[in-house]
């Protein structure tokens, strides 16, 4: 819950590149990273109150970021 979010523990976020069955155990391979090198933790921190405007702008500039997130981040920059 809130304690996990407060400490930046946001869970696993993976992109599905092909549908199929996933084994319960086994390795997870990173096959590609976005060149902006924005992490899930960066996005999480950018979404928190009083986030650094430079971080918010860096996260918001990532093209594949969900439209909802871009909207929230844009609102944060206006409020800053």
């Amino acid at each position: 819950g809130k304690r996990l979010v407060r400490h930046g523990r946001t869970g696993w976020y993976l992109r599905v590149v092909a549908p199929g069955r996933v084994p319960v155990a086994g390795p997870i391979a990173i096959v590609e990273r976005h060149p902006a090198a924005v992490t899930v933790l960066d996005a999480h921190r950018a979404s928190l109150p009083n986030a650094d405007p430079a971080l918010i702008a860096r996260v918001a500039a990532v093209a594949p970021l969900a439209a909802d997130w871009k909207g929230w981040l844009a609102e944060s920059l206006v409020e800053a």
Side-chain angles (χ1 to χ4, degrees):
K2 291 181 182 179
R3 182 176 174 201
L4 291 174
V5 170
R6 190 171 58 247
H7 289 92
R9 305 288 187 218
T10 57
W12 294 97
Y13 288 83
L14 304 169
R15 180 173 172 223
V16 175
V17 293
R21 298 183 68 110
V22 178
V24 174
I28 296 174
I30 297 171
V31 294
E32 183 180 350
R33 290 188 190 270
H34 191 276
V38 171
T39 66
V40 171
L41 183 56
D42 290 336
H44 170 73
R45 287 182 174 153
S47 72
L48 296 175
N50 302 314
D52 176 19
L55 177 62
I56 296 170
R58 190 165 74 88
V59 172
V62 175
L65 188 66
D68 286 349
W69 272 82
K70 286 184 180 195
W72 298 326
L73 294 172
E75 289 174 17
S76 296
L77 283 173
V78 170
E79 294 169 4

